[in-house]
Amino acid sequence: MASITMFSQTTLSPSSTKLSSLTLNPLLYPKPLRFKTNRKSFSVSSSSNSLKALIFDCDGVILESEHLHRQAYNDAFSHFNVRCNSSSQQPLNWASDFYDVLQNQIGGGKPKMRWYFKEHGWPSSTIFDMPPENDDDRAKLIDTLQDWKTERYKQIIKSGTVEPRPGVLRLMDEAKATGKQLSVCSAATKSSVILCLESLIGMERFQGLDCFLAGDDVKEKKPDPSIYLTAAKRLGVSEKDCLVVEDSVIGLQAATKAGMSCVITYTSSTADQDFKDAIAIYPDLSDVRLNDLELLLQNVVAAN
C-alpha cells in the first residue's frame, strides 16, 4: 500500500505544505509524458488479456474540479456567514493551499467540514446564532451547508465553462467499442456527480455506463475500498480484472485495498503525492490508449 504522510489534526492548516514528492513506479510507463524512466519489459502472452472493466473516478479524473468545489464551499460559508471565531470580521474562507491538503487527506464534503469544525471550533452562522453544541444541531449545520454547496457547485457546472480532461471521452469510447465494462465511482454527492457526467460526458455515455456509484451509495468514503468492491460486485467481475483511473493517493489507496490495479492521472493539487503503488502515472490521458492500459494490466498479471 502506498505510504502517505498524514497531517495530524493540529498541524493541518492553511500554511501546511503539500505532501511528499512524487515517487515513481518502476513498472511500465508506456508514454512517459512528464518523467523520464526506464521501460521494464515483460514477456506477456497475447491471450492473457484480463482487462474486463475500466473504472473512472470523477473529480480530478473526468474533470479538474477541486478549485470549483473550493469556490462552492467558500460561497456557502459566505452565504450563511459561517464564522469559527466570534471575533472574525469575515466568513470562513478556505485558501487554495489549505484546501489542496485537506481534499487530499479527507474524502467527502461532510467529513471535511466535520473535521475542520472539530479542530477550529464549531461556528456561528445564520443557521444557528450560537455554535451548535449537540450532535443533532451539528449534523443539521453540516447538512445545510453541504446541500447549499452542492447546488452552488451545480450552478458552476451548468455555466458551460467546464470541460472534461484531455483523453477521457476517447478512452471511454474505446472501452465501450471493445466490449469492456465501463464504470464511474465517485465519493462526491450523487446529484452533483450526475450533473457533471450529463454535462461533461453527455447523456448517451452516461446512460451507457455499466455501473455508476457515488458517495451516497456506500457507508464509507475513500480511501475505504467499499465503493470499488461494490462496483466489482455489480459488474460481476473479479477485482483483478478491473483497472481504476484515479488522481489522488486517497483514490489509489481505495483501489489497491480493493485488490484492483490503478493508474494515476494527476492534477496540479495532487502532483506531489506518493503514487508508488500505481502501475502508471500520467499528467493526463491525451496520449493514453486502451491498448496501453490492457498491456499494463497484462504485465501486472505476468509479474505476479
Side-chain angles (χ1 to χ4, degrees):
M1 181 180 300
S3 60
I4 179 172
T5 304
M6 296 298 291
F7 288 88
S8 71
Q9 294 182 339
T10 57
T11 60
L12 184 59
S13 67
S15 60
S16 296
T17 58
K18 290 187 179 180
L19 304 180
S20 59
S21 296
L22 184 65
T23 301
L24 295 180
N25 189 330
L27 283 176
L28 181 65
Y29 289 79
K31 298 183 183 298
L33 303 180
R34 176 178 174 185
F35 302 102
K36 292 182 179 179
T37 182
N38 294 326
R39 185 185 182 106
K40 186 174 181 179
S41 61
F42 296 86
S43 176
V44 181
S45 168
S46 60
S47 63
S48 64
N49 187 351
S50 61
L51 177 59
K52 292 184 172 61
L54 186 60
I55 305 176
F56 288 83
D57 180 28
C58 185
D59 289 322
V61 173
I62 295 176
L63 73 160
E64 194 156 357
S65 58
E66 295 309 328
H67 65 293
L68 306 177
H69 282 290
R70 185 178 72 87
Q71 177 185 337
Y73 279 118
N74 287 337
D75 289 348
F77 298 150
S78 177
H79 179 78
F80 291 104
N81 198 24
V82 173
R83 302 188 187 202
C84 292
N85 187 333
S86 59
S87 63
S88 174
Q89 299 299 310
Q90 299 294 330
L92 174 63
N93 186 286
W94 282 343
S96 178
D97 288 348
F98 170 74
Y99 189 75
D100 280 351
V101 177
L102 179 65
Q103 64 97 8
N104 286 313
Q105 295 289 344
I106 302 174
K110 292 181 182 180
K112 285 181 177 67
M113 287 189 286
R114 185 171 292 277
W115 179 89
Y116 187 88
F117 295 149
K118 282 182 178 179
E119 287 301 303
H120 298 271
W122 288 88
S124 61
S125 65
T126 57
I127 304 168
F128 293 104
D129 290 337
M130 299 297 293
E133 296 183 352
N134 61 67
D135 291 342
D136 288 343
D137 286 347
R138 289 174 175 178
K140 180 181 178 181
L141 171 71
I142 289 176
D143 287 346
T144 302
L145 290 171
Q146 183 66 30
D147 288 347
W148 198 96
K149 175 263 175 184
T150 298
E151 292 306 311
R152 175 64 182 128
Y153 181 73
K154 290 179 182 179
Q155 291 175 0
I156 297 171
I157 296 298
K158 288 178 180 178
S159 69
T161 61
V162 183
E163 296 183 352
R165 294 190 68 191
V168 170
L169 301 186
R170 175 189 41 73
L171 200 53
M172 285 185 168
D173 292 343
E174 287 182 17
K176 293 299 288 186
T178 55
K180 311 300 182 187
Q181 297 203 71
L182 189 62
S183 177
V184 172
C185 293
S186 171
T189 305
K190 194 162 198 170
S191 60
S192 67
V193 182
I194 290 174
L195 177 66
C196 283
L197 296 178
E198 289 177 348
S199 301
L200 297 176
I201 72 172
M203 188 64 72
E204 184 176 352
R205 289 189 187 89
F206 175 56
Q207 293 180 342
L209 293 175
D210 298 290
C211 177
F212 162 60
L213 295 172
D216 314 55
D217 296 313
V218 291
K219 291 183 178 179
E220 299 296 332
K221 305 286 188 181
K222 301 174 186 178
D224 186 274
S226 297
I227 197 165
Y228 288 128
L229 292 171
T230 302
K233 185 176 181 180
R234 292 194 183 181
L235 292 168
V237 298
S238 170
E239 290 83 359
K240 68 180 177 62
D241 295 329
C242 299
L243 182 62
V244 177
V245 184
E246 275 282 0
D247 70 301
S248 70
V249 165
I250 284 181
L252 173 61
Q253 289 176 332
T256 55
K257 286 178 183 178
M260 298 180 181
S261 296
C262 181
V263 299
I264 291 291
T265 171
Y266 58 82
T267 68
S268 58
S269 68
T270 65
D272 291 337
Q273 293 184 10
D274 182 357
F275 294 126
K276 68 174 180 286
D277 279 349
I279 62 173
I281 304 168
Y282 307 103
D284 60 50
L285 300 173
S286 57
D287 289 332
V288 181
R289 297 296 185 268
L290 184 67
N291 184 60
D292 297 327
L293 301 183
E294 289 179 308
L295 289 173
L296 279 169
L297 199 56
Q298 287 176 25
N299 292 340
V300 171
V301 172
N304 291 333

